[in-house]
Amino acid sequence: MDLRLSPEDVDFRQAARDWIRENYPTEPRPNDGPAMREFDLEWQRRQWAGGWAGVSWPVEYQGRGLPVLHQLIWLEECARIGAPDIDSRFVAVNHAGPTLIANGTQAQKAFHLPKILRGEVLWCQGFSEPQAGSDLASLRTVGVIDGDELVVTGQKLWTSFADLADYQELLIRTDPSAPRHKGLTWVICDMRLPGITIRPIKTLDGLSHFCEVFYDEVRIPLTTVVGEVNEGWRVAMSTLSFERGTAFTHGQVQLAAIVDRLIEIAGERPAYGRSKRGIDDDEIAGRLATARAEIAALRALTYTNALRNQSASQPGPEGSMVKLFYTELRQRLMRLAMEIVGPGSTLRGITHATWDEDYLFSYTETIAGGTSDIQRNIIGERVLGLPR
Amino acid sequence: MDLTLSDDQRSIIDSVVGVITDVMPIEKVREVLAGNTSPLDVMWSQAAGLGWFGLGLTEELGGTGFDLIEEALLFKEVGRHVTPGPLLATTLAARVAAQGGAAEVAAKLLGGEVRAGLAVPLAGDVVRLVGAAATDYLLVVHDTVAGLFPASAAIDRIPLGGLDELTSREQATVSGDPVAVVSAADDPIAARGSVLVSAMLAGIAEATRDMSVTYAKTREQFGSAIGAFQAVKHRCADMAVAAALADAQVTFAALSVNDFAADAGMQAAAARVVAEGAALDNARETIQIHAGIGVTWECDAHLYLKRVHALRELFGGEAAQRGSLLHAEPGN
Ligand SMILES: Cc1cc2nc3c(=O)[nH]c(=O)nc-3n(C[C@H](O)[C@H](O)[C@H](O)COP(=O)(O)OP(=O)(O)OC[C@H]3O[C@@H](n4cnc5c(N)ncnc54)[C@H](O)[C@@H]3O)c2cc1C
């Protein structure tokens, strides 16, 4: 075992750092809407133009084909300098792309993969429904085969960025008589097809991160099915484990930046509602120190999982450990931030305009991508082998 | 960067586990606990024969020439099996003797002829001796320097209580001259010791996780294995996360300290904080999951719990770790 970077790794990091510094967008990122879409896609286009898009995507799909270590370095360097997080590009670059690479037809890959890397399109993920949250396999949106088309009727819920996306990973029920997991199909849905209605939903931070999407006899060509008809569960599961792999690297660096800033603030002024400077307050200082230790350990675990799994075709259930710990830690840390800066602080936030928004956002993360309880189920059953 | 175990590392682990399961399985640990020290003597000669005490020492100085990470792998197993005896103190003492010019003493420590205990500096010459009963030398470790003294240097020894019956505690005053001294700039004995303590704690976190998971799969109530109940399953999941974090961070700490990396102090402190938390939480959960049997003398859970408390007071307590973490360079 060795923590040191090889000369090639160091060169890669330096090149990444130099390029990002020259090219990352420094103007503030719009909070939502078409302006945010344009901002995020422009950043993706710049990465493509500079030869930095798809660091770990295979070369045959115009990625860089670099090892996972370089992907981690790239993500960390982006985050360190304060370049935008993957955010609205997440489904396209981290989900749909890898899922198509693993399961798509030649035609699907040829059409979609370049558009994703070049920053021409955003994707969204249409999995959850009103009646199907944690219990994803109970979803009810139906697709009926009619000639060479699927006719889709139903509703999706909590679809992040549905109002801004061009395409959707849509999971539907195509065989209602089959066992729950056997009758699902994963299909690429063009969000501009007739019969689709999208309503944004306002979240607790006053912004809109997700939408409800209605499908009224939407006709989707069968050629857009990824994997086979009724094989959607397997395809969807590969997508979900991508989400739980290296996906939180940028966020982890943000956590480190949040703690750095909180330690700075705690050294300058009394904690909110207290008389001592935060750093002189044993309880606050102890929690800040613990947070630093936990962030270091989370990084160590992320690197360990990523480097040990790189030969596997898809990340294993261990990714759930990172997802669980990262999101819970972020929420704990933002609560500590509220105790240090206080609500309504005029200080600038780290990932949002204000600390209030940073704080409120942390409540969404232990839910999105599978709640903490669901991650604990996965760890208990699939990592530890406990009975269902 | 490489975070996979090498073949050498795997065989070190196998060999250590082989010796421990052979000569110091939990039944033997309990014999030692009951006052019979002969299993310890058997283990000691085997350990010395296999070079445990010089694993991380260069070959020129009489060791095997591996690094701190290999020592950490060894001590993780020591933690996992609640192995008794002053293994850590003797390993560190051999380093100090070998590097401090006391070659003969080093050879005896490495060869298993003599043992060393730890002395935690309190104030002035007053120390707390930990695991130093019936040892021949005492290793006094300050942040900046470590000194090896003959056991006779400790005067006014007063036995102290302690939670871990397998780790003696005494208060004493150290007087006289050391046989060897090493400054932290040349070899950071305190930092290495702290990493190895973290390794033992990580081993305890894993062992207690495994004990709990095994029990959760076999104990039945309400007609099913208790591991099917989410209250139990989710505790096990949290234990698994804590143990995985501790293990990964101990590896980072061992490699960083060995490389004299710029952030070594932060990495080592992080390992201590995370491993202590994991070990203590997991020991607690193990007792809770075993319930009635969990609070008995017969159940091994208390051996782990008590060992955690014995380890916590070595090489810088919570305040020291907090300082290293808060004053670390921003942005790890
Ligand atoms: C910000 C955000 C963005 C999202 N984006 C998307 C998206 O783009 N696409 C998409 O498809 N979905 C998205 N989701 C939906 C997300 O995946 C679901 O909210 C999540 O899976 C939980 O489903 P639910 O909200 O219906 O809660 P429920 O499943 O109803 O859960 C309610 C509570 O019960 C608990 N619970 C449920 N089942 C179990 C069980 N078996 N064991 C223990 N506890 C259980 C849960 O942990 C939770 O606390 C998003 C959610 C959020 C918050």
Side-chain angles (χ1 to χ4, degrees):
Chain A
M1 291 194 267
D2 193 349
L3 270 191
R4 289 164 302 181
L5 297 179
S6 70
E8 299 85 76
D9 298 337
V10 172
D11 288 348
F12 175 83
R13 187 177 60 187
Q14 193 57 48
R17 200 174 274 178
D18 293 343
W19 186 86
I20 297 164
R21 191 182 300 117
E22 289 294 306
N23 292 281
Y24 83 102
T26 48
E27 58 281 15
R29 177 171 179 262
N31 266 336
D32 56 6
M36 185 190 77
R37 171 189 155 99
E38 188 41 37
F39 181 95
D40 287 355
L41 284 177
E42 169 56 23
W43 174 221
Q44 181 70 28
R45 281 196 288 272
R46 262 191 240 172
Q47 290 175 48
W48 169 257
W52 288 95
V55 169
S56 63
W57 280 33
V59 177
E60 56 175 316
Y61 304 113
Q62 282 135 48
R64 296 275 305 262
L66 294 171
V68 68
L69 175 59
H70 287 190
Q71 188 192 5
L72 290 168
I73 291 174
W74 165 257
L75 292 169
E76 285 193 344
E77 289 303 322
C78 279
R80 283 210 177 109
I81 206 161
D85 193 358
I86 186 103
D87 217 65
S88 76
R89 294 172 293 128
F90 185 82
V91 177
V93 177
N94 283 359
H95 259 227
T99 305
L100 292 182
I101 288 171
N103 303 288
T105 63
Q106 278 313 320
Q108 288 165 351
K109 292 182 201 174
F111 182 80
H112 287 289
L113 296 178
K115 285 185 191 301
I116 292 173
L117 279 195
R118 288 179 191 152
E120 291 167 14
V121 293
L122 288 185
W123 282 59
C124 61
Q125 180 190 61
F127 284 12
S128 307
E129 299 182 2
Q131 305 304 324
S134 301
D135 187 11
L136 181 57
S138 71
L139 63 87
R140 296 176 184 179
T141 297
V142 289
V144 179
I145 297 178
D146 180 21
D148 53 7
E149 290 176 325
L150 273 166
V151 183
V152 175
T153 301
Q155 184 194 347
K156 292 292 171 181
L157 192 58
W158 320 130
T159 314
S160 299
F161 311 114
D163 51 339
L164 306 175
D166 303 273
Y167 295 99
Q168 181 179 47
E169 324 173 322
L170 177 59
L171 197 58
I172 51 177
R173 186 163 303 282
T174 37
D175 184 356
S177 64
R180 284 158 31 105
H181 299 86
K182 297 274 163 68
L184 303 177
T185 297
W186 201 106
V187 65
I188 304 168
C189 174
D190 182 334
M191 293 304 279
R192 293 182 186 85
L193 286 174
I196 296 180
T197 308
I198 302 166
R199 291 199 202 121
I201 301 171
K202 190 168 167 179
T203 41
L204 76 174
D205 50 10
L207 304 171
S208 157
H209 297 284
F210 49 34
C211 305
E212 51 186 343
V213 183
F214 300 88
Y215 307 79
D216 181 12
E217 300 196 351
V218 178
R219 302 189 78 87
I220 303 177
L222 271 174
T223 52
T224 65
V225 170
V226 175
E228 301 294 325
V229 170
N230 296 331
E231 213 198 28
W233 185 254
R234 183 191 61 76
V235 178
M237 286 306 103
S238 67
T239 314
L240 286 182
S241 35
F242 283 121
E243 185 165 4
R244 291 163 196 159
T246 58
F248 302 100
T249 308
H250 193 109
Q252 289 176 29
V253 177
Q254 288 175 344
L255 290 192
I258 290 169
V259 176
D260 292 349
R261 181 75 182 112
L262 287 175
I263 289 175
E264 199 176 270
I265 294 171
E268 288 165 357
R269 57 178 75 199
Y272 177 74
R274 303 193 190 206
S275 53
K276 283 190 206 165
R277 286 189 313 163
I279 210 74
D280 299 328
D281 184 312
D282 263 0
E283 194 229 326
I284 299 258
R287 283 161 73 191
L288 284 167
T290 302
R292 259 217 175 126
E294 290 176 331
I295 292 165
L298 179 60
R299 178 170 185 266
L301 183 61
T302 301
Y303 268 75
T304 303
N305 281 348
L307 296 186
R308 287 187 186 165
N309 285 341
Q310 60 187 330
S311 46
S313 60
Q314 72 186 53
E318 298 80 16
S320 283
M321 295 201 193
V322 170
K323 149 78 168 135
L324 172 62
F325 191 74
Y326 163 72
T327 57
E328 295 281 335
L329 170 60
R330 185 153 190 150
Q331 209 168 79
R332 264 199 315 278
L333 183 60
M334 293 320 300
R335 188 158 143 181
L336 173 59
M338 271 302 111
E339 290 175 45
I340 293 174
V341 302
S345 167
T346 52
L347 295 171
R348 241 201 99 70
I350 299 285
T351 57
H352 295 72
T354 65
W355 282 95
D356 288 354
E357 284 174 20
D358 275 349
Y359 169 63
L360 291 172
F361 182 72
S362 73
Y363 283 94
T364 68
E365 296 198 289
T366 50
I367 298 166
T371 68
S372 293
D373 296 321
I374 296 302
Q375 305 308 327
R376 289 190 177 95
N377 285 346
I378 294 172
I379 297 163
E381 288 159 17
R382 292 176 49 207
V383 179
L384 301 176
L386 291 168
R388 275 171 196 277
Chain B
M1 189 183 287
D2 177 11
L3 294 171
T4 51
L5 290 171
S6 68
D7 291 344
D8 273 351
Q9 289 167 340
R10 269 179 221 287
S11 38
I12 289 170
I13 296 172
D14 289 347
S15 156
V16 171
V17 171
V19 171
I20 296 177
T21 48
D22 190 25
V23 304
M24 194 59 82
I26 202 79
E27 308 81 65
K28 297 280 183 192
V29 174
R30 284 181 175 274
E31 277 184 37
V32 178
L33 183 60
N36 172 14
T37 55
S38 67
L40 204 52
D41 298 335
V42 173
M43 180 187 80
W44 212 264
S45 64
Q46 293 223 10
L50 288 164
W52 286 14
F53 304 125
L55 197 61
L57 200 58
T58 61
E59 288 177 39
E60 300 86 80
L61 292 175
T64 325
F66 285 107
D67 288 327
L68 182 56
I69 183 67
E70 282 79 15
E71 291 186 320
L73 295 173
L74 186 164
F75 278 99
K76 199 169 115 186
E77 297 308 325
V78 168
R80 192 199 303 275
H81 295 89
V82 277
T83 310
L87 293 161
L88 177 59
T90 301
T91 300
L92 295 173
R95 279 188 89 78
V96 171
Q99 297 179 110
E104 266 175 48
V105 178
K108 284 186 179 171
L109 286 160
L110 291 169
E113 284 170 56
V114 295
R115 302 175 196 177
L118 276 177
V120 179
L122 297 177
D125 294 333
V126 180
V127 296
R128 181 163 52 238
L129 301 177
V130 180
T135 62
D136 311 280
Y137 288 92
L138 298 173
L139 183 64
V140 186
V141 183
H142 297 269
D143 283 347
T144 50
V145 65
L148 186 63
F149 294 79
S152 58
I155 51 172
D156 303 334
R157 291 171 81 141
I158 309 163
L160 301 172
L163 290 170
D164 184 12
E165 293 87 353
L166 285 161
T167 306
S168 67
R169 291 168 88 246
E170 301 156 81
Q171 185 164 309
T173 302
V174 173
S175 74
D177 295 326
V179 296
V181 172
V182 166
S183 84
D186 293 329
D187 192 30
I189 296 295
R192 292 180 77 100
S194 184
V195 167
L196 297 178
V197 164
S198 301
M200 288 190 270
L201 290 164
I204 291 173
E206 289 185 0
T208 43
R209 171 202 65 195
D210 293 344
M211 241 181 105
S212 296
V213 170
T214 304
Y215 191 65
K217 285 177 183 172
T218 48
R219 167 72 176 169
E220 291 187 5
Q221 283 294 281
F222 298 99
S224 71
I226 57 168
F229 306 132
Q230 284 190 336
V232 173
K233 182 180 292 174
H234 287 191
R235 282 204 183 107
C236 290
D238 286 337
M239 293 171 79
V241 174
L245 287 162
D247 182 43
Q249 184 55 31
V250 165
T251 299
F252 271 49
L255 295 169
S256 307
V257 168
N258 197 76
D259 295 345
F260 287 89
D263 63 352
M266 186 282 290
Q267 297 285 4
R272 273 300 284 274
V273 168
V274 172
E276 274 185 30
L280 204 48
D281 287 348
N282 286 8
R284 184 267 168 193
E285 295 298 6
T286 301
I287 293 174
Q288 187 68 19
I289 285 174
H290 285 73
I293 190 91
V295 292
T296 63
W297 186 262
E298 184 194 332
C299 178
D300 296 331
H302 72 103
L303 301 179
Y304 290 105
L305 177 75
K306 291 168 179 174
R307 182 60 54 83
V308 178
H309 286 283
L311 291 171
R312 286 180 90 179
E313 56 185 15
L314 303 177
F315 308 112
E318 241 166 82
Q321 315 302 344
R322 178 184 297 183
S324 310
L325 285 161
L326 288 178
H327 301 121
E329 280 292 298
N332 72 74

